[in-house]
Amino acid sequence: MTNLKLTGVEKTYAGNINVLNDINLDIKTGELIVFVGPSGCGKSTLLRMIAGLETITGGELTIDGERMNDMPPAQRGIAMVFQSYALYPHMTVRDNMSFALKLAKKNPAEIDAAIEKVAKTLQLTDYLDRLPKALSGGQRQRVAIGRSIVRDPKVYLFDEPLSNLDAALRVATRIEIAQLKESMPDSTMIYVTHDQVEAMTLATRIVVLANKGVAQVGSPLELYERPENEFVAQFIGSPAMNLLSGTVVDTGDFTTVRVENGGGVIRSSVPSSAELKGTSVNIGIRPEDMQPTTDDNFAFENRVEIAEALGEVTQVYFKPQSPGSTPVIAKLQGIHRDVRTQTMRMSADPSKVHLFADGRSLLYR
Amino acid sequence: MHPALQGLLSIVLGVGGCVAYFYFSNQFLDKVLFPGRGPNAGRNITRANMIRPWLFLLPAIAALSIYLAYPVVETLRLSLTERLPGNQSQFVGLANYQQMVSEPKFWEAMRNNMLWLLVVPAFSTALGLLAAQLSDRVRWGNIAKSLIFMPMAISFVGAAVIWKLVYDTRPVDQDQIGVLNALYLFFGGSEPNTWLTLPVWNNFFLMIVLIWIQTGFAMVILSAALRGIPEETVEAAIVDGANPFQVFFKIKVPQIMGTVVVVWTTITIVVLKVFDIVFAMTNGQWETQVLANYMYDKLFRANDWGVGSASAMIIMLLVSPILVWNVYNARKEMR
């Protein structure tokens, strides 16, 4: 059983440049945790701090209860897969995979057996005596993964492992990683990516990092359905969730909000208390939850400026509600040829309407 | 005319001449020989573009033929002839070579050259690699690097003079100004040594001078190569449990092996041609003769152009294969 725990972890570089602050996480056996966040949010830094390649300047990292802050990387029981694979170019696949075991002075027969086994799972048996330069990108990636598996670590660390692969190979390798995880149910993995699809498909829990801290931790669908704040709401999902400003007009089990510049009102299944009446909130509706409506019960009425027909869906961009604001986007099922320049009335199911006050979701108040 | 003015004039004439050559020869090609207009404009432009590379190559080809190809052929001819009175010469076949190999001084030079060949490139490369690796890790590394590189800027003769002072010997009753003797006496030596006259050892004292110069060269090239190593491979090795020595010898050095070979062979070529240091410090006495100085002795002191040219051919024969290997490796590195 593995338990990796981060308590109040901080990273401050020389010259008082603070990049991570008060990170608290509790990771258990068998989890695949994905760190996502905008570029520069420190997700790779956090991974490297767990690996021991960056110092931890505050707080504590423990693995199985043992403090790891000052432990050298090799003794933390972790293995890392790098973005550029980081294969040793002068060593064959076999030597690449056995390097760590040889350094650990394991017995040669054991090493051979371990490599044969891993090579077989990863379909690398025929390539064991090749140099990395004679392998394709996908094969190199598999060698890098194999190199970490042979060490049988407590925790696997993946630093954007798919970002150097082309689109088709990325999908295939993503599925391979998912299968690999399934075949090793007791392995614990931490995976850094900026790709939402990877995060949504692979993770048991996603950690969204932003503004030097953790914005929300939760399962992929939790993050999608019940985002804690505007940042997570807009970060998860593509295109991003629409945010419209409005004023609360009725409270209770359902909250009714008048949409600014929209002409209508919308009901949300988020409950609210009476003192919220009259306060301004942000209404969040995902593009895929936007529904065209013909009755008078609409949230807003606006002209369509651009319609992108993608086949399965048509993405509709409305005229910005106020000059300079981001246009509202709606995803309409199927092909809609003639919506451009039309004026449409839009609404959404109350259960799909999120409400935010001061950036925080009303659900979590 | 003042020499400085002369120098300036030759620079102006040389550079101006080159510019003028390229400008006017291209003008001639485009305007007179194959003008890019009229009925055959397209054909003319194609032809002009086929000739143009040769216009640019011509000065280099001419200079190389006069100063490189011709001397090689002429040296080969001279090594097979004997000078006769009255500016005459006579073909003697391999007689010069036979005479040369019968001379003990030639074999001494051969032996010393081989000794230089083993010691100098190995030490220069190893020390250069060490300096490159160590200076990368410390804040004052760049200062250390400039100091180590500085001897590269000193001419071989200048370096020889400096080190002659280091090895200098004064009579017993005087203060020693040579650092080596001063240290030797300080650490309990009985009386000052004349270091450069100690056979066999004096060879190594001469080699130190060249190592001192070439270490800077090796360091600069290897330092650049070390920086080219992907940082992630080093980090991967650290995660795999390699200690700093293992990272250096098992991850870093193998990745820059190609550059190490290029540096090694380049220094080897310098070593095979070594002349100035021996000439200025011992002039080949006390068993320190090397091939280049032997050649100079024969050609310009004994006025024996036959044997002198023969030894020059030997040096060329020794250098050529290493040169080919060096160029081959350097090209492989660039790819």
Side-chain angles (χ1 to χ4, degrees):
Chain A
M1 293 304 255
T2 306
N3 183 304
L4 187 147
K5 205 167 176 176
L6 296 166
T7 318
V9 165
E10 272 179 44
K11 179 70 189 179
T12 307
Y13 284 106
N16 261 337
I17 302 159
N18 182 260
V19 292
L20 288 170
N21 223 334
D22 195 28
I23 308 283
N24 294 291
L25 273 178
D26 199 345
I27 299 170
K28 296 193 175 56
T29 308
E31 280 199 291
L32 198 161
I33 300 289
V34 174
F35 292 171
V36 289
S39 29
C41 71
K43 52 190 191 292
S44 280
T45 308
L46 185 57
L47 190 80
R48 292 165 56 82
M49 283 159 75
I50 296 172
L53 294 169
E54 299 268 356
T55 54
I56 298 170
T57 51
E60 193 176 49
L61 163 72
T62 60
I63 296 177
D64 289 343
E66 198 182 343
R67 186 183 150 95
M68 288 291 167
N69 287 35
D70 305 311
M71 195 73 90
Q75 287 162 35
R76 294 186 181 201
I78 50 107
M80 187 153 169
V81 176
F82 291 83
Q83 184 174 4
S84 66
Y85 323 134
L87 300 181
Y88 311 126
H90 56 287
M91 293 186 195
T92 62
V93 171
R94 186 189 301 278
D95 291 339
N96 261 286
M97 299 211 289
S98 62
F99 187 65
L101 300 179
K102 279 182 188 157
L103 291 178
K105 304 239 159 39
K106 287 257 165 60
N107 113 39
E110 236 174 82
I111 296 178
D112 280 349
I115 287 172
E116 292 299 334
K117 188 169 158 243
V118 171
K120 213 173 154 194
T121 6
L122 294 173
Q123 292 143 43
L124 287 168
T125 314
D126 296 341
Y127 306 102
L128 280 177
D129 296 313
R130 288 208 197 166
L131 288 176
K133 66 178 176 209
L135 299 177
S136 70
Q139 288 165 338
R140 284 179 207 179
Q141 183 57 68
R142 291 215 294 278
V143 175
I145 293 172
R147 186 168 70 179
S148 59
I149 296 176
V150 289
R151 295 181 52 200
D152 192 23
K154 290 179 190 163
V155 184
Y156 291 85
L157 307 176
F158 291 89
D159 188 5
E160 307 208 16
L162 304 186
S163 56
N164 277 6
L165 300 175
D166 62 51
L169 204 51
R170 197 176 304 170
V171 175
T173 315
R174 192 180 76 214
I175 293 168
E176 276 174 32
I177 291 179
Q179 286 168 342
L180 185 75
K181 177 72 192 69
E182 214 150 276
S183 68
M184 305 188 297
D186 289 337
S187 62
T188 308
M189 299 183 175
I190 302 177
Y191 190 108
V192 167
T193 182
H194 59 259
D195 185 315
Q196 276 191 42
V197 183
E198 279 172 40
M200 297 298 281
T201 52
L202 290 172
T204 48
R205 281 197 296 160
I206 295 178
V207 177
V208 182
L209 292 168
N211 293 326
K212 304 177 181 181
V214 176
Q216 187 174 358
V217 184
S219 74
L221 291 183
E222 256 168 42
L223 261 54
Y224 179 80
E225 288 172 339
R226 301 161 64 85
E228 262 181 47
N229 46 50
E230 281 179 10
F231 179 82
V232 175
Q234 291 210 294
F235 190 77
I236 303 287
S238 173
M241 181 188 280
N242 298 300
L243 285 181
L244 297 160
S245 37
T247 317
V248 178
V249 291
D250 198 12
T251 58
D253 286 347
F254 282 79
T255 308
T256 310
V257 182
R258 173 167 303 285
V259 181
E260 232 168 78
N261 306 320
V265 290
I266 193 160
R267 249 157 61 92
S268 165
S269 58
V270 177
S272 58
S273 49
E275 78 263 17
L276 270 177
K277 205 165 185 173
T279 57
S280 50
V281 289
N282 274 345
I283 310 155
I285 310 170
R286 296 200 179 275
E288 52 271 37
D289 296 332
M290 288 269 191
Q291 300 291 339
T293 177
T294 45
D295 59 26
D296 286 341
N297 217 349
F298 60 90
F300 70 90
E301 188 177 43
N302 208 341
R303 199 167 64 96
V304 175
E305 289 210 314
I306 301 164
E308 296 173 332
L310 304 177
E312 47 172 337
V313 293
T314 304
Q315 292 200 79
V316 173
Y317 294 70
F318 290 95
K319 182 168 168 273
Q321 296 295 104
S322 55
S325 69
T326 342
V328 172
I329 303 172
K331 266 187 186 173
L332 306 179
Q333 286 301 315
I335 299 166
H336 300 259
R337 289 182 197 284
D338 304 321
V339 290
R340 211 176 82 83
T341 72
Q342 274 186 17
T343 298
M344 290 179 84
R345 288 179 167 184
M346 302 301 290
S347 191
D349 189 88
S351 65
K352 309 280 190 186
V353 178
H354 307 258
L355 294 177
F356 302 95
D358 304 325
R360 305 260 316 148
S361 171
L362 290 186
L363 260 183
Y364 291 83
R365 276 170 87 100
Chain B
M1 201 176 352
H2 193 278
L5 273 180
Q6 268 178 353
L8 200 65
L9 189 69
S10 56
I11 289 173
V12 169
L13 281 180
V15 175
C18 284
V19 172
Y21 164 76
F22 287 121
Y23 180 75
F24 287 114
S25 63
N26 276 288
Q27 284 292 318
F28 176 74
L29 185 68
D30 289 334
K31 296 276 148 61
V32 183
L33 205 54
F34 294 117
R37 59 188 124 71
N40 295 324
R43 196 198 65 188
N44 279 356
I45 289 172
T46 316
R47 287 190 177 171
N49 283 341
M50 281 165 69
I51 292 175
R52 199 177 325 277
W54 295 101
L55 282 184
F56 284 88
L57 283 174
L58 192 68
I61 291 177
L64 284 176
S65 333
I66 296 169
Y67 293 108
L68 222 71
Y70 165 72
V72 170
V73 175
E74 181 64 4
T75 307
L76 179 65
R77 190 186 69 80
L78 289 177
S79 76
L80 301 172
T81 57
E82 187 188 351
R83 179 141 57 167
L84 295 176
N87 226 359
Q88 301 279 303
S89 66
Q90 178 195 355
F91 182 78
V92 292
L94 294 175
N96 289 323
Y97 290 88
Q98 277 165 354
Q99 190 196 331
M100 182 173 71
V101 297
S102 66
E103 279 187 31
K105 207 62 183 163
F106 169 76
W107 289 109
E108 179 195 313
M110 275 297 258
R111 182 206 67 186
N112 286 343
N113 254 108
M114 291 304 132
L115 215 55
W116 279 73
L117 198 71
L118 289 177
V119 174
V120 176
F123 273 85
S124 302
T125 312
L127 289 174
L129 190 57
L130 194 70
Q133 167 71 9
L134 295 182
S135 61
D136 255 359
R137 305 292 297 272
V138 288
R139 197 149 13 106
W140 45 275
N142 280 333
I143 298 169
K145 267 190 197 158
S146 356
L147 288 177
I148 296 171
F149 187 69
M150 214 167 272
M152 275 292 283
I154 301 172
S155 75
F156 282 17
V157 176
V161 171
I162 293 171
W163 281 87
K164 242 185 142 167
L165 289 171
V166 172
Y167 300 140
D168 192 67
T169 313
R170 290 290 148 108
V172 191
D173 47 343
Q174 288 180 20
D175 279 346
Q176 294 301 319
I177 65 157
V179 174
L180 192 60
N181 265 324
L183 284 173
Y184 178 71
L185 293 180
F186 180 79
F187 286 108
S190 49
E191 57 182 48
N193 264 317
T194 47
W195 302 103
L196 291 176
T197 62
L198 284 176
V200 185
W201 293 111
N202 49 10
N203 277 308
F204 293 97
F205 291 129
L206 297 186
M207 288 176 209
I208 287 171
V209 183
L210 192 55
I211 293 170
W212 180 67
I213 294 172
Q214 294 296 327
T215 296
F217 162 76
M219 177 197 65
V220 168
I221 310 275
L222 294 173
S223 165
L226 281 175
R227 288 193 176 167
I229 293 176
E231 189 58 28
E232 285 197 333
T233 61
V234 174
E235 290 181 339
I238 293 171
V239 172
D240 272 349
N243 64 34
F245 283 98
Q246 288 164 329
V247 168
F248 184 65
F249 286 109
K250 293 190 169 168
I251 303 296
K252 285 187 165 182
V253 172
Q255 289 195 59
I256 59 164
M257 214 51 210
T259 311
V260 171
V261 171
V262 171
V263 168
W264 191 295
T265 47
T266 305
I267 298 176
T268 303
I269 292 165
V270 173
V271 166
L272 279 171
K273 298 186 300 183
V274 68
F275 164 73
D276 331 37
I277 294 171
V278 177
F279 180 76
M281 289 182 80
T282 62
N283 198 10
Q285 300 170 84
W286 310 294
E287 296 179 27
T288 57
Q289 189 63 295
V290 289
L291 282 173
N293 197 47
Y294 175 82
M295 174 192 84
Y296 180 87
D297 253 3
K298 289 292 170 193
L299 263 178
F300 301 111
R301 289 220 190 79
N303 268 330
D304 186 346
W305 79 25
V307 174
S309 302
S311 57
M313 292 311 292
I314 295 291
I315 296 175
M316 202 184 83
L317 276 180
L318 291 173
V319 170
S320 300
I322 300 168
L323 192 69
V324 170
W325 197 38
N326 177 279
V327 171
Y328 168 80
N329 272 296
R331 285 192 163 188
K332 205 167 68 178
E333 276 302 286
M334 268 183 258
R335 251 182 265 134

